[in-house]
PDB file of all heavy atoms in Angstrom:
ATOM      1  N   PHE A  52       3.802 -26.915  14.580  1.00  0.00           N
ATOM      2  CA  PHE A  52       4.818 -27.758  15.155  1.00  0.00           C
ATOM      3  C   PHE A  52       4.077 -29.036  15.634  1.00  0.00           C
ATOM      4  O   PHE A  52       3.359 -28.961  16.566  1.00  0.00           O
ATOM      5  CB  PHE A  52       5.564 -27.099  16.219  1.00  0.00           C
ATOM      6  CG  PHE A  52       6.695 -27.866  16.891  1.00  0.00           C
ATOM      7  CD1 PHE A  52       7.543 -28.570  16.089  1.00  0.00           C
ATOM      8  CD2 PHE A  52       6.861 -27.915  18.224  1.00  0.00           C
ATOM      9  CE1 PHE A  52       8.594 -29.296  16.620  1.00  0.00           C
ATOM     10  CE2 PHE A  52       7.855 -28.610  18.795  1.00  0.00           C
ATOM     11  CZ  PHE A  52       8.737 -29.319  17.995  1.00  0.00           C
ATOM     12  N   THR A  53       4.368 -30.117  14.924  1.00  0.00           N
ATOM     13  CA  THR A  53       3.525 -31.293  15.187  1.00  0.00           C
ATOM     14  C   THR A  53       3.691 -31.910  16.586  1.00  0.00           C
ATOM     15  O   THR A  53       2.784 -32.523  17.050  1.00  0.00           O
ATOM     16  CB  THR A  53       3.782 -32.438  14.130  1.00  0.00           C
ATOM     17  OG1 THR A  53       5.157 -32.747  14.173  1.00  0.00           O
ATOM     18  CG2 THR A  53       3.456 -31.973  12.765  1.00  0.00           C
ATOM     19  N   THR A  54       4.840 -31.659  17.131  1.00  0.00           N
ATOM     20  CA  THR A  54       5.077 -32.304  18.536  1.00  0.00           C
ATOM     21  C   THR A  54       4.146 -31.632  19.592  1.00  0.00           C
ATOM     22  O   THR A  54       3.556 -32.296  20.360  1.00  0.00           O
ATOM     23  CB  THR A  54       6.525 -32.030  18.887  1.00  0.00           C
ATOM     24  OG1 THR A  54       7.374 -32.686  17.972  1.00  0.00           O
ATOM     25  CG2 THR A  54       6.733 -32.601  20.331  1.00  0.00           C
ATOM     26  N   SER A  55       3.998 -30.372  19.498  1.00  0.00           N
ATOM     27  CA  SER A  55       3.224 -29.612  20.539  1.00  0.00           C
ATOM     28  C   SER A  55       1.846 -29.078  20.066  1.00  0.00           C
ATOM     29  O   SER A  55       0.932 -28.771  20.863  1.00  0.00           O
ATOM     30  CB  SER A  55       4.012 -28.401  20.997  1.00  0.00           C
ATOM     31  OG  SER A  55       4.217 -27.462  20.008  1.00  0.00           O
ATOM     32  N   GLY A  56       1.701 -28.996  18.715  1.00  0.00           N
ATOM     33  CA  GLY A  56       0.539 -28.417  18.160  1.00  0.00           C
ATOM     34  C   GLY A  56       0.561 -26.910  18.169  1.00  0.00           C
ATOM     35  O   GLY A  56      -0.425 -26.278  17.740  1.00  0.00           O
ATOM     36  N   ASP A  57       1.672 -26.339  18.527  1.00  0.00           N
ATOM     37  CA  ASP A  57       1.826 -24.867  18.437  1.00  0.00           C
ATOM     38  C   ASP A  57       1.767 -24.376  17.037  1.00  0.00           C
ATOM     39  O   ASP A  57       2.380 -24.933  16.145  1.00  0.00           O
ATOM     40  CB  ASP A  57       3.130 -24.393  19.035  1.00  0.00           C
ATOM     41  CG  ASP A  57       3.184 -24.559  20.571  1.00  0.00           C
ATOM     42  OD1 ASP A  57       2.138 -24.680  21.158  1.00  0.00           O
ATOM     43  OD2 ASP A  57       4.277 -24.551  21.112  1.00  0.00           O
ATOM     44  N   ALA A  58       0.995 -23.323  16.849  1.00  0.00           N
ATOM     45  CA  ALA A  58       0.780 -22.771  15.494  1.00  0.00           C
ATOM     46  C   ALA A  58       1.427 -21.351  15.319  1.00  0.00           C
ATOM     47  O   ALA A  58       1.431 -20.638  16.325  1.00  0.00           O
ATOM     48  CB  ALA A  58      -0.719 -22.647  15.150  1.00  0.00           C
ATOM     49  N   VAL A  59       1.921 -21.076  14.177  1.00  0.00           N
ATOM     50  CA  VAL A  59       2.432 -19.784  13.852  1.00  0.00           C
ATOM     51  C   VAL A  59       1.852 -19.285  12.546  1.00  0.00           C
ATOM     52  O   VAL A  59       1.449 -20.112  11.680  1.00  0.00           O
ATOM     53  CB  VAL A  59       3.953 -19.817  13.719  1.00  0.00           C
ATOM     54  CG1 VAL A  59       4.595 -20.113  15.060  1.00  0.00           C
ATOM     55  CG2 VAL A  59       4.446 -20.863  12.683  1.00  0.00           C
ATOM     56  N   TYR A  60       1.618 -17.994  12.503  1.00  0.00           N
ATOM     57  CA  TYR A  60       0.939 -17.468  11.284  1.00  0.00           C
ATOM     58  C   TYR A  60       1.697 -16.220  10.789  1.00  0.00           C
ATOM     59  O   TYR A  60       2.410 -15.534  11.558  1.00  0.00           O
ATOM     60  CB  TYR A  60      -0.470 -16.967  11.708  1.00  0.00           C
ATOM     61  CG  TYR A  60      -1.373 -18.055  12.231  1.00  0.00           C
ATOM     62  CD1 TYR A  60      -1.443 -18.361  13.494  1.00  0.00           C
ATOM     63  CD2 TYR A  60      -2.148 -18.735  11.206  1.00  0.00           C
ATOM     64  CE1 TYR A  60      -2.318 -19.403  13.942  1.00  0.00           C
ATOM     65  CE2 TYR A  60      -2.980 -19.770  11.649  1.00  0.00           C
ATOM     66  CZ  TYR A  60      -3.024 -20.075  12.991  1.00  0.00           C
ATOM     67  OH  TYR A  60      -3.893 -21.053  13.404  1.00  0.00           O
ATOM     68  N   ASP A  61       1.562 -16.001   9.461  1.00  0.00           N
ATOM     69  CA  ASP A  61       1.984 -14.698   8.941  1.00  0.00           C
ATOM     70  C   ASP A  61       1.104 -13.608   9.462  1.00  0.00           C
ATOM     71  O   ASP A  61      -0.158 -13.802   9.644  1.00  0.00           O
ATOM     72  CB  ASP A  61       1.878 -14.804   7.323  1.00  0.00           C
ATOM     73  CG  ASP A  61       2.257 -13.497   6.780  1.00  0.00           C
ATOM     74  OD1 ASP A  61       3.487 -13.230   6.581  1.00  0.00           O
ATOM     75  OD2 ASP A  61       1.340 -12.738   6.362  1.00  0.00           O
ATOM     76  N   ASN A  62       1.662 -12.472   9.749  1.00  0.00           N
ATOM     77  CA  ASN A  62       0.891 -11.436  10.401  1.00  0.00           C
ATOM     78  C   ASN A  62      -0.309 -10.980   9.492  1.00  0.00           C
ATOM     79  O   ASN A  62      -1.338 -10.607  10.009  1.00  0.00           O
ATOM     80  CB  ASN A  62       1.778 -10.179  10.612  1.00  0.00           C
ATOM     81  CG  ASN A  62       2.709 -10.408  11.800  1.00  0.00           C
ATOM     82  OD1 ASN A  62       2.508 -11.198  12.692  1.00  0.00           O
ATOM     83  ND2 ASN A  62       3.833  -9.685  11.820  1.00  0.00           N
ATOM     84  N   GLY A  63      -0.148 -11.167   8.248  1.00  0.00           N
ATOM     85  CA  GLY A  63      -1.211 -10.731   7.333  1.00  0.00           C
ATOM     86  C   GLY A  63      -2.479 -11.581   7.334  1.00  0.00           C
ATOM     87  O   GLY A  63      -3.524 -11.163   6.780  1.00  0.00           O
ATOM     88  N   VAL A  64      -2.417 -12.776   7.894  1.00  0.00           N
ATOM     89  CA  VAL A  64      -3.523 -13.709   7.857  1.00  0.00           C
ATOM     90  C   VAL A  64      -4.109 -13.999   9.255  1.00  0.00           C
ATOM     91  O   VAL A  64      -5.127 -14.701   9.375  1.00  0.00           O
ATOM     92  CB  VAL A  64      -3.121 -15.008   7.176  1.00  0.00           C
ATOM     93  CG1 VAL A  64      -2.548 -14.752   5.819  1.00  0.00           C
ATOM     94  CG2 VAL A  64      -2.181 -15.845   8.031  1.00  0.00           C
ATOM     95  N   LYS A  65      -3.430 -13.435  10.277  1.00  0.00           N
ATOM     96  CA  LYS A  65      -3.937 -13.739  11.635  1.00  0.00           C
ATOM     97  C   LYS A  65      -5.405 -13.230  11.717  1.00  0.00           C
ATOM     98  O   LYS A  65      -5.831 -12.218  11.331  1.00  0.00           O
ATOM     99  CB  LYS A  65      -3.090 -13.013  12.652  1.00  0.00           C
ATOM    100  CG  LYS A  65      -1.753 -13.629  12.910  1.00  0.00           C
ATOM    101  CD  LYS A  65      -0.913 -12.910  13.977  1.00  0.00           C
ATOM    102  CE  LYS A  65       0.397 -13.568  14.252  1.00  0.00           C
ATOM    103  NZ  LYS A  65       1.152 -12.806  15.270  1.00  0.00           N
ATOM    104  N   GLY A  66      -6.170 -14.169  12.376  1.00  0.00           N
ATOM    105  CA  GLY A  66      -7.613 -13.862  12.586  1.00  0.00           C
ATOM    106  C   GLY A  66      -8.459 -14.427  11.518  1.00  0.00           C
ATOM    107  O   GLY A  66      -9.657 -14.649  11.748  1.00  0.00           O
ATOM    108  N   ARG A  67      -7.911 -14.728  10.332  1.00  0.00           N
ATOM    109  CA  ARG A  67      -8.729 -15.301   9.223  1.00  0.00           C
ATOM    110  C   ARG A  67      -8.351 -16.753   8.936  1.00  0.00           C
ATOM    111  O   ARG A  67      -9.146 -17.464   8.454  1.00  0.00           O
ATOM    112  CB  ARG A  67      -8.558 -14.425   7.931  1.00  0.00           C
ATOM    113  CG  ARG A  67      -9.323 -13.127   7.954  1.00  0.00           C
ATOM    114  CD  ARG A  67      -9.539 -12.581   6.559  1.00  0.00           C
ATOM    115  NE  ARG A  67      -8.361 -12.545   5.746  1.00  0.00           N
ATOM    116  CZ  ARG A  67      -8.177 -13.250   4.601  1.00  0.00           C
ATOM    117  NH1 ARG A  67      -9.123 -14.046   4.128  1.00  0.00           N
ATOM    118  NH2 ARG A  67      -7.047 -13.089   3.975  1.00  0.00           N
ATOM    119  N   PHE A  68      -7.066 -17.068   9.170  1.00  0.00           N
ATOM    120  CA  PHE A  68      -6.513 -18.354   8.885  1.00  0.00           C
ATOM    121  C   PHE A  68      -6.363 -19.175  10.158  1.00  0.00           C
ATOM    122  O   PHE A  68      -5.868 -18.575  11.120  1.00  0.00           O
ATOM    123  CB  PHE A  68      -5.177 -18.255   8.085  1.00  0.00           C
ATOM    124  CG  PHE A  68      -5.245 -17.835   6.655  1.00  0.00           C
ATOM    125  CD1 PHE A  68      -6.131 -16.856   6.274  1.00  0.00           C
ATOM    126  CD2 PHE A  68      -4.354 -18.363   5.710  1.00  0.00           C
ATOM    127  CE1 PHE A  68      -6.165 -16.394   4.964  1.00  0.00           C
ATOM    128  CE2 PHE A  68      -4.443 -17.964   4.435  1.00  0.00           C
ATOM    129  CZ  PHE A  68      -5.313 -16.982   4.027  1.00  0.00           C
ATOM    130  N   THR A  69      -6.705 -20.441  10.074  1.00  0.00           N
ATOM    131  CA  THR A  69      -6.468 -21.319  11.279  1.00  0.00           C
ATOM    132  C   THR A  69      -5.947 -22.616  10.816  1.00  0.00           C
ATOM    133  O   THR A  69      -6.508 -23.251   9.924  1.00  0.00           O
ATOM    134  CB  THR A  69      -7.771 -21.584  12.075  1.00  0.00           C
ATOM    135  OG1 THR A  69      -8.419 -20.324  12.420  1.00  0.00           O
ATOM    136  CG2 THR A  69      -7.520 -22.439  13.225  1.00  0.00           C
ATOM    137  N   ILE A  70      -4.763 -22.948  11.372  1.00  0.00           N
ATOM    138  CA  ILE A  70      -4.150 -24.272  11.038  1.00  0.00           C
ATOM    139  C   ILE A  70      -4.380 -25.208  12.184  1.00  0.00           C
ATOM    140  O   ILE A  70      -4.356 -24.778  13.396  1.00  0.00           O
ATOM    141  CB  ILE A  70      -2.627 -24.095  10.735  1.00  0.00           C
ATOM    142  CG1 ILE A  70      -2.016 -25.309  10.159  1.00  0.00           C
ATOM    143  CG2 ILE A  70      -1.896 -23.549  11.914  1.00  0.00           C
ATOM    144  CD1 ILE A  70      -0.624 -25.131   9.600  1.00  0.00           C
ATOM    145  N   SER A  71      -4.582 -26.453  11.903  1.00  0.00           N
ATOM    146  CA  SER A  71      -4.824 -27.445  12.917  1.00  0.00           C
ATOM    147  C   SER A  71      -4.431 -28.803  12.364  1.00  0.00           C
ATOM    148  O   SER A  71      -4.148 -28.986  11.194  1.00  0.00           O
ATOM    149  CB  SER A  71      -6.342 -27.504  13.295  1.00  0.00           C
ATOM    150  OG  SER A  71      -7.081 -27.910  12.185  1.00  0.00           O
ATOM    151  N   GLN A  72      -4.269 -29.712  13.321  1.00  0.00           N
ATOM    152  CA  GLN A  72      -3.832 -31.064  12.877  1.00  0.00           C
ATOM    153  C   GLN A  72      -4.703 -32.142  13.486  1.00  0.00           C
ATOM    154  O   GLN A  72      -5.259 -31.938  14.572  1.00  0.00           O
ATOM    155  CB  GLN A  72      -2.396 -31.300  13.309  1.00  0.00           C
ATOM    156  CG  GLN A  72      -2.130 -31.317  14.873  1.00  0.00           C
ATOM    157  CD  GLN A  72      -0.658 -31.604  15.149  1.00  0.00           C
ATOM    158  OE1 GLN A  72       0.122 -31.935  14.289  1.00  0.00           O
ATOM    159  NE2 GLN A  72      -0.292 -31.441  16.483  1.00  0.00           N
ATOM    160  N   ASP A  73      -4.901 -33.228  12.813  1.00  0.00           N
ATOM    161  CA  ASP A  73      -5.553 -34.351  13.263  1.00  0.00           C
ATOM    162  C   ASP A  73      -4.589 -35.558  13.243  1.00  0.00           C
ATOM    163  O   ASP A  73      -4.277 -36.076  12.189  1.00  0.00           O
ATOM    164  CB  ASP A  73      -6.802 -34.644  12.362  1.00  0.00           C
ATOM    165  CG  ASP A  73      -7.574 -35.854  12.875  1.00  0.00           C
ATOM    166  OD1 ASP A  73      -7.074 -36.706  13.682  1.00  0.00           O
ATOM    167  OD2 ASP A  73      -8.828 -35.949  12.554  1.00  0.00           O
ATOM    168  N   ASN A  74      -4.046 -35.853  14.405  1.00  0.00           N
ATOM    169  CA  ASN A  74      -3.011 -36.851  14.438  1.00  0.00           C
ATOM    170  C   ASN A  74      -3.550 -38.262  14.114  1.00  0.00           C
ATOM    171  O   ASN A  74      -2.773 -39.144  13.707  1.00  0.00           O
ATOM    172  CB  ASN A  74      -2.321 -36.893  15.836  1.00  0.00           C
ATOM    173  CG  ASN A  74      -1.500 -35.610  16.122  1.00  0.00           C
ATOM    174  OD1 ASN A  74      -0.994 -34.992  15.112  1.00  0.00           O
ATOM    175  ND2 ASN A  74      -1.385 -35.298  17.301  1.00  0.00           N
ATOM    176  N   THR A  75      -4.784 -38.501  14.284  1.00  0.00           N
ATOM    177  CA  THR A  75      -5.345 -39.804  14.031  1.00  0.00           C
ATOM    178  C   THR A  75      -5.436 -40.080  12.504  1.00  0.00           C
ATOM    179  O   THR A  75      -5.472 -41.196  12.017  1.00  0.00           O
ATOM    180  CB  THR A  75      -6.734 -39.980  14.597  1.00  0.00           C
ATOM    181  OG1 THR A  75      -7.672 -39.078  13.958  1.00  0.00           O
ATOM    182  CG2 THR A  75      -6.700 -39.678  16.053  1.00  0.00           C
ATOM    183  N   LYS A  76      -5.387 -38.990  11.706  1.00  0.00           N
ATOM    184  CA  LYS A  76      -5.525 -39.094  10.280  1.00  0.00           C
ATOM    185  C   LYS A  76      -4.241 -38.611   9.544  1.00  0.00           C
ATOM    186  O   LYS A  76      -4.239 -38.641   8.268  1.00  0.00           O
ATOM    187  CB  LYS A  76      -6.686 -38.195   9.768  1.00  0.00           C
ATOM    188  CG  LYS A  76      -8.005 -38.678  10.276  1.00  0.00           C
ATOM    189  CD  LYS A  76      -9.136 -37.755   9.743  1.00  0.00           C
ATOM    190  CE  LYS A  76     -10.502 -38.229  10.267  1.00  0.00           C
ATOM    191  NZ  LYS A  76     -11.545 -37.322   9.710  1.00  0.00           N
ATOM    192  N   ASN A  77      -3.238 -38.230  10.205  1.00  0.00           N
ATOM    193  CA  ASN A  77      -2.015 -37.689   9.568  1.00  0.00           C
ATOM    194  C   ASN A  77      -2.436 -36.543   8.578  1.00  0.00           C
ATOM    195  O   ASN A  77      -2.041 -36.570   7.399  1.00  0.00           O
ATOM    196  CB  ASN A  77      -1.284 -38.794   8.789  1.00  0.00           C
ATOM    197  CG  ASN A  77      -0.429 -39.675   9.717  1.00  0.00           C
ATOM    198  OD1 ASN A  77      -0.464 -39.473  10.883  1.00  0.00           O
ATOM    199  ND2 ASN A  77       0.236 -40.561   9.131  1.00  0.00           N
ATOM    200  N   THR A  78      -3.220 -35.600   9.108  1.00  0.00           N
ATOM    201  CA  THR A  78      -3.683 -34.548   8.262  1.00  0.00           C
ATOM    202  C   THR A  78      -3.531 -33.217   9.013  1.00  0.00           C
ATOM    203  O   THR A  78      -3.742 -33.137  10.208  1.00  0.00           O
ATOM    204  CB  THR A  78      -5.208 -34.780   7.951  1.00  0.00           C
ATOM    205  OG1 THR A  78      -5.358 -36.005   7.301  1.00  0.00           O
ATOM    206  CG2 THR A  78      -5.712 -33.670   7.046  1.00  0.00           C
TER     207      THR A  78
END
Side-chain angles (χ1 to χ4, degrees):
F52 180 44
T53 59
T54 300
S55 63
D57 289 342
V59 293
Y60 298 92
D61 177 79
N62 287 336
V64 305
K65 283 182 179 179
R67 287 199 307 120
F68 287 38
T69 305
I70 190 170
S71 60
Q72 63 179 352
D73 184 338
N74 292 332
T75 66
K76 296 182 180 179
N77 282 3
T78 302

